[in-house]
Each structure stands twice: as structure tokens, then as C-alpha cells.
Amino acid sequence: MMKSGWQKILIFMLLLWQVLLLAGCDYYVNEQPAQQVPEPFRNQDSRGRYDSIGKLGTYSISIPAGVIDGWVRYVGDPGDFADPKIKAKYQRPPKTYDLPIESFGFLYRITDGDVYTSFRQTQQDYRHDNETLIPYGKPFPWADVSAYGVYGAAPLNFNFTVQDDFRVSKEVTDIEYIQQPQPLYGLTVYKANNGIDPDTGEPWKSDNLTEDRMIKKDQAGNIKTYIKCQFTHHINSCRHMFYNDDWHIQVRIGYSRTYLPQWQEMEGRIMQILDSWRVTREGKLLGKQIGKA
């Protein structure tokens, strides 16, 4: 009987030792520092503000602080109207120069090709133009620019978009877009019902559903530039989209129609701005950043 008691005590001690050993292992594991992804080097401006980083299409970029209008959206980020619970649970991968960028926006001054940056002279210029030009109906020289990375097998042209826009106009509003005989600033122009309101037999008084549409094709016949412009307002605006094959991006621009003759110059300058933000995968600048404070 005494021997049986000692056996029970021994078994109990062995079990207790195993429990303590497991607990000790668990403690050791929990106490180990979590694997941290090293923070990449990030460029700063004269005020110590850090650049926004990522990969736009095919190139790594470092966007100067104070330039972005809003924020950078990365591929996989929940949308603005996503369920708050989804937003709360979402954990974005660490920001690196390889993290794919979905989109971001900035302001570009058409007249000299500069970029709006907070705490630079352009900030004061933008405010001044808002106060002295817009209230008096004068052309506003600033353009809203949005850049979108294009990933996967998505086509880098507006072939389907333009065709579908014309189809919807015809089927839904009974408005047919007709190509005009003369190009405009190198663009092929299409006007709604040849510019005539069929109900009145006179030129359109409203361009709500009848904006002028303009395209530019590449040598292969693919539509690379697609522009829609108002034409019945005191100050008409244009919505301008183009693709860049090298970068694998789509760029959207909004500006006063006054500056439509400079559409090619705008496309070129915007690509120069993006090129100035290119960096190596380690964050080394490849040139002088346009817009850096």
C-alpha cells in the first residue's frame, strides 16, 4: 500500500515537471522578439517630412512630401466605402519600394510644369489663383492629376472604353457620335449628332450628355489618349486620360479647355514629373525630384 502511494507521488511529480517544462518553453517562445521587417530608407524634404513610397506600375518611386492630394492607395487597400469592420481588420503589408501602388493624385500647373507642394511657393500661388481667377471666370492654370498602376493582363488602351461609350450614348440617349472631318490639335474629334440638337435643329445648348470626345491612336491603331470636353459653359472643362506603356499606368487629368491645345505637352510633362520621382529598390534617387520642398 505504501509502495503504491509512492508510485502515485512519483507519477504526480513527473506530470508536474512536464507541465512546468512546457510552460517554460511557452514562456521562452513568447518572450522572443517578433520578427520585424526592417524599415526601408526613405527620402526626406527640407522640413524633415518623409516621402511616400511604393511601386507605380513598373517603377519604384519616392513621392516628395507635401505633393500628394489626399493619400496613396495601395493595391489591396479597402475602398473608401468598404465595411468599417473590414477596414479595421485590414493589415497592409509593410511599405517598401516594391509595394504596388493603386493610385494617388497631385496638382500640376500647366503654364510652367511645376507641382503643388505644401510649404513651397506653389502653395501660395495656388491659393492666389483660386482667389483671383476662379471668382472672375478666368482660366485656372492648375490641373488635377491622378496616376493609376495597371497590373496583370489589363489592356493599355481605350479601344473598348470608347466603343462602349459610343454604344451607350446611342442605345440609352439616342445620341450618335459622328467623327468630324478635321482633326483638332492632332486629335480625332467626335461630336454628338454632329453638334446639332435633333429636337431644335440648332447647336446644343447643353453638353450634359453630349460632351465633345477626342481620341489619339498609336501607330498600331490602339487608342492611347481619350479626352472629353464641355463646350457650352463660360469656362469649359476637360477630362483627359492617357496610357503609358513603359510605366504600365493610366493617367487622368482634369483642366480648363483653354489649355486643350497643350494636351501633348501635358502628357509629356506629367511623365517627366513621375520620372523625377523614380528610385532604386533601395530608395536611391535617380534624379532631382520635381516638387520637393
Side-chain angles (χ1 to χ4, degrees), residues 228-265:
K228 298 180 181 181
C229 289
Q230 299 173 329
F231 58 89
T232 62
H233 303 258
H234 176 62
I235 296 292
N236 295 297
S237 63
C238 291
R239 293 175 291 158
H240 176 164
M241 302 185 292
F242 71 92
Y243 279 104
N244 183 276
D245 290 348
D246 181 36
W247 277 71
H248 267 245
I249 59 173
Q250 181 190 123
V251 177
R252 302 177 187 177
I253 326 169
Y255 52 85
S256 167
R257 184 164 179 164
T258 303
Y259 299 103
L260 180 62
Q262 298 169 242
W263 71 269
Q264 286 177 296
E265 179 184 328

Side-chain angles (χ1 to χ4, degrees), residues 3-188:
K3 185 177 180 181
S4 176
W6 277 106
Q7 287 176 335
K8 290 180 179 179
I9 292 172
L10 181 60
I11 292 171
F12 174 77
M13 293 297 292
L14 286 170
L15 290 172
L16 180 62
W17 178 78
Q18 288 179 333
V19 170
L20 292 173
L21 180 64
L22 289 171
C25 289
D26 187 55
Y27 174 81
Y28 177 78
V29 170
N30 289 336
E31 283 298 301
Q32 297 307 300
Q35 288 291 331
Q36 297 289 329
V37 176
E39 280 282 330
F41 165 80
R42 292 171 68 182
N43 295 287
Q44 296 173 268
D45 68 3
S46 60
R47 304 178 68 87
R49 298 180 298 176
Y50 287 99
D51 287 6
S52 298
I53 66 172
K55 191 171 187 178
L56 179 64
T58 54
Y59 293 115
S60 298
I61 59 174
S62 184
I63 309 166
V67 164
I68 293 176
D69 182 16
W71 59 87
V72 175
R73 184 184 298 282
Y74 296 90
V75 172
D77 284 359
D80 294 338
F81 303 104
D83 187 326
K85 293 180 181 178
I86 295 177
K87 288 185 176 181
K89 292 181 180 179
Y90 176 71
Q91 291 187 332
R92 178 190 293 144
K95 291 181 182 179
T96 69
Y97 291 98
D98 287 323
L99 186 62
I101 293 173
E102 178 183 302
S103 64
F104 65 89
F106 61 96
L107 291 167
Y108 149 74
R109 185 161 55 194
I110 303 168
T111 48
D112 66 354
D114 206 347
V115 171
Y116 172 97
T117 312
S118 59
F119 296 104
R120 277 180 72 226
Q121 180 59 42
T122 50
Q123 182 178 30
Q124 305 304 319
D125 295 344
Y126 180 77
R127 290 176 178 173
H128 177 267
D129 289 345
N130 265 291
E131 295 170 356
T132 61
L133 299 179
I134 293 179
Y136 301 99
K138 297 180 180 180
F140 193 58
W142 296 86
D144 291 301
V145 181
S146 296
Y148 296 80
V150 180
Y151 306 96
L156 295 170
N157 61 65
F158 298 103
N159 296 353
F160 173 79
T161 302
V162 173
Q163 183 181 20
D164 197 54
D165 279 359
F166 287 166
R167 179 190 63 80
V168 170
S169 291
K170 179 63 177 174
E171 294 180 2
V172 177
T173 63
D174 199 28
I175 294 173
E176 184 174 3
Y177 271 84
I178 299 173
Q179 181 177 339
Q180 301 302 292
Q182 295 297 323
L184 182 67
Y185 314 125
L187 296 161
T188 301

